[in-house]
Amino acid sequence: MDDVTLRALRLLEEAQAGGAAQVLAVAEAALREPTGEICDGPAAMHFARVVALTRLGDLRAAIAAADLMLAAAEREDSAGWRSCALSLRADRRLRLGDQDIAEYDIEGVLRDLVSAETALLADEPDPVIAGNARTGLAIGYAKLRLYELAAPQFQAAYETTCRATHPDNGNRAMWLCNLAELNLMWALELYQVGQVAEAEKHTTAAEEHAARAVAEASGPKAEVWRLSALLFAACARADRQDPAAAAADIPRYIALLQDHGVERRQQEMLLCQPFHAVALSRSGRPDEALRVIEEAVTALSSDSDWLISAALHRTHAVLLSANGSGDAVPGLTYGDALAELLWRQRHRWLHAAVTMQSYDVLRWQHERAERAAQIDPLTGVANRRGLDNFLQNLTTSAATRQDPVAVLVVDLDRFKHINDSLGHATGDAVLRAVAQVLTASVRKGDFVARLGGDEFVAILPGADSVAAEQVAQRTVSAVAAMTAWRAEVSVGVASGSAYTLGEILAHADRAMYAAKRAGGNRVSGRRPAS
């Protein structure tokens, strides 16, 4: 993890702890450092800015900030930050839609989440960035109650912490707790649609994840995660083998967490109450069960999670009905019908997301195959097909046809001698090294390809002959300075307008042969083609 990412993640923690205004100022100052413009800063700092703006309640600004983060991730070619930007934007769009129905766009939210998941097919080498990307996806899917899609993302986030390069900060237990909580939410919704056997499978899964979290809790917040896991495990037992112990453990672990100075989020506390009430009722304590659920219903607010709210009201109605209250029956009937409609809606969203995923994966596989077909497998630079595509785009674009362009044709000197005296394996290694040197010598945005054999070409859009000869001389010097083998190159340089690119290539090729005739290990240039 680089210093910028580490600093951004520290700012993220500070924003979440209540310092959003200060974090926003620091992040924006850091973003302006490269060019003076916020848009040109690193993706990691855009991440901190998005979170700070969200914490300050400006969701529209947070969405715009996520767009800037996405652009930065594209510049940096970072799969992880691209995924984070898309899932952040999806989450903020979802929140904005909750506040303003005119902004509600479930298709756009699903599209961002699926695109965020597809971005990670390219793999993210930094486990911390990958963990944040997976967590963003999991949270987005979970908010839409797409549990089948959220669970694998939490699992993948957990697995990133198992990499040797990941710091031991307690996140393993955190993600296992997230999996336990997700399965409890899943069970609540299944209970509401009468799928009791399926619900119990998920309370069982919740207990298993919680038990692993207890065993793997580490880092500075180990005891907090251990108690959280024990709380979720107690909730998971409420409807199964040991309701009496669950009825005692749920309030006990809540109290212990509060003793540790942890004020659990209202959603988490309310999530535990249906399970607590059920445990009390199954233990033969119906009056206490009603008291617990009525207190929880009273604690509901306008921004409470609707699923937990529905579960509390349904549990309340079930307990009242069990106590002989006829007034609860109509409400229970209406609630069950509504739960069934919402369950069907969930499945429509799930179907839409899975369909989008299938199309995205197919498109990504096609694009990867197309890219592979344009890459030289030995050196990793473009092959002749990749070069032809690049040249076609450059010469047919109205925006670039009149622009200057320079060409370098690079050929290894006495390469046959290297192959004959040192072997073809060494010859291949020299070709790879020269390709790396040439790629490092050109400018950002330039194009390098292997024409075949020991010949390479570099296309420098926007460059004149002076800039091109500087790149060529760097290449010659860098190859000659290689210590593993004695190798040299001859480089021909030509420049002109893009629409004359065919002539420029021919001039550069002739210039390369002129450099060889002069003894090699040098640059030879041609006049600009007009």
Side-chain angles (χ1 to χ4, degrees):
M1 180 167 50
D2 60 37
D3 291 341
V4 174
T5 300
L6 181 60
R7 185 185 179 199
L9 293 178
R10 286 173 177 165
L11 287 173
L12 183 68
E13 292 177 357
E14 187 178 336
Q16 292 170 331
Q22 181 179 351
V23 166
L24 181 62
V26 172
E28 290 185 345
L31 287 165
R32 287 192 175 95
E33 284 176 8
T35 66
E37 299 291 334
I38 284 178
C39 60
D40 294 329
M45 280 298 164
H46 282 292
F47 187 22
R49 183 168 179 257
V50 173
V51 174
L53 287 166
T54 305
R55 286 281 172 170
L56 293 171
D58 194 342
L59 291 174
R60 286 183 173 82
I63 292 169
D67 290 337
L68 295 180
M69 180 183 175
L70 182 59
E74 298 286 3
R75 287 196 305 272
E76 297 167 18
D77 195 25
S78 170
W81 285 133
R82 183 174 189 274
S83 179
C84 285
L86 288 163
S87 62
L88 283 169
R89 188 169 70 183
D91 177 81
R92 276 57 182 176
R93 280 179 167 179
L94 194 58
R95 296 190 197 194
L96 187 60
D98 288 341
Q99 293 180 5
D100 182 355
I101 192 63
E103 299 287 348
Y104 187 76
D105 181 12
I106 189 63
E107 184 176 349
V109 170
L110 286 173
R111 167 50 54 202
D112 275 352
L113 288 172
V114 170
S115 296
E117 189 169 356
T118 304
L120 293 178
L121 291 174
D123 197 22
E124 169 54 55
D126 188 314
V128 175
I129 298 174
N132 277 283
R134 295 293 183 181
T135 303
L137 274 165
I139 290 171
Y141 283 138
K143 285 187 174 181
L144 293 173
R145 299 145 48 233
L146 303 182
Y147 313 109
E148 299 90 338
L149 305 183
Q153 299 303 326
F154 276 133
Q155 180 65 34
Y158 164 78
E159 289 168 1
T160 65
T161 64
C162 299
R163 299 186 197 177
T165 53
H166 197 285
D168 184 9
N169 55 9
N171 281 356
R172 286 192 193 184
M174 177 188 75
W175 279 311
L176 289 168
C177 283
N178 286 337
L179 280 163
E181 183 181 5
L182 181 75
N183 276 278
L184 290 175
M185 294 285 288
W186 200 342
L188 278 183
E189 189 159 8
L190 285 163
Y191 280 127
Q192 289 187 78
V193 294
Q195 298 186 31
V196 175
E198 284 297 311
E200 289 179 352
K201 289 179 183 178
H202 290 289
T203 55
T204 300
E207 186 174 14
E208 291 170 354
H209 288 304
R212 289 174 60 195
V214 171
E216 297 188 33
S218 63
K221 295 183 179 180
E223 185 61 11
V224 170
W225 291 122
R226 190 183 73 84
L227 290 172
S228 296
L230 289 168
L231 173 60
F232 290 141
C235 290
R237 292 194 305 273
D239 67 331
R240 294 185 296 113
Q241 71 272 28
D242 196 0
D249 286 346
I250 292 171
R252 180 162 68 90
Y253 290 128
I254 290 174
L256 286 171
L257 283 164
Q258 291 170 342
D259 288 344
H260 276 77
V262 179
E263 290 296 331
R264 304 296 290 175
R265 290 183 295 126
Q266 185 195 40
Q267 174 176 317
E268 292 174 2
M269 290 298 92
L270 291 174
L271 169 64
C272 298
Q273 300 315 310
F275 294 101
H276 188 197
V278 167
L280 287 166
S281 178
R282 292 186 66 219
S283 304
R285 298 154 67 182
D287 292 342
E288 291 178 68
L290 268 174
R291 177 182 56 77
V292 164
I293 208 70
E294 285 170 355
E295 288 176 356
V297 168
T298 302
L300 288 170
S301 63
S302 59
D303 59 351
S304 294
D305 183 274
W306 73 263
L307 176 58
I308 294 176
S309 176
L312 287 169
H313 283 293
R314 185 179 188 280
T315 304
H316 188 209
V318 168
L319 292 174
L320 285 173
S321 180
N323 279 7
S325 172
D327 294 339
V329 174
L332 190 58
T333 302
Y334 173 76
D336 288 348
L338 181 59
E340 183 64 34
L341 287 172
L342 291 170
W343 184 253
R344 292 177 186 174
Q345 178 200 60
R346 189 193 82 85
H347 274 277
R348 286 194 294 271
W349 291 350
L350 179 62
H351 175 75
V354 170
T355 301
M356 287 180 184
Q357 286 177 336
S358 298
Y359 282 124
D360 267 23
V361 169
L362 286 173
R363 185 175 67 248
W364 181 83
Q365 290 172 338
H366 173 76
E367 290 172 353
R368 183 177 63 169
E370 181 64 23
R371 286 194 299 271
Q374 298 183 42
I375 296 297
D376 174 48
L378 176 64
T379 62
V381 300
N383 59 16
R384 187 59 185 257
R385 179 178 176 182
L387 173 64
D388 289 344
N389 284 346
F390 181 83
L391 295 179
Q392 182 179 10
N393 291 334
L394 191 67
T395 56
T396 57
S397 170
T400 58
R401 275 180 55 80
Q402 300 296 328
D403 289 348
V405 63
V407 173
L408 277 60
V409 175
V410 181
D411 194 86
L412 268 157
D413 297 332
R414 293 172 290 280
F415 182 63
K416 184 177 185 301
H417 173 73
I418 295 173
N419 267 337
D420 291 345
S421 60
L422 300 176
H424 289 282
T426 299
D428 288 349
V430 171
L431 287 171
R432 284 192 291 268
V434 169
Q436 291 170 1
V437 166
L438 182 56
T439 301
S441 299
V442 299
R443 311 159 308 161
K444 184 177 181 180
D446 292 340
F447 187 86
V448 174
R450 181 187 176 199
L451 291 178
D454 58 349
E455 192 171 3
F456 297 85
V457 66
I459 311 297
L460 283 60
D464 57 17
S465 57
V466 174
E469 287 180 9
Q470 290 173 346
V471 172
Q473 192 56 58
R474 281 201 302 270
T475 303
V476 169
S477 299
V479 171
M482 291 192 308
T483 57
W485 315 276
R486 180 175 174 77
E488 295 174 346
V489 292
S490 297
V491 183
V493 179
S495 62
S497 299
Y499 71 90
T500 65
L501 195 50
E503 296 176 28
I504 300 171
L505 280 162
H507 285 315
D509 191 56
R510 288 194 287 271
M512 180 271 292
Y513 281 109
K516 279 190 174 295
R517 287 193 297 272
N521 192 35
R522 69 190 64 216
V523 176
S524 176
R526 300 279 297 187
R527 290 198 317 262
S530 57

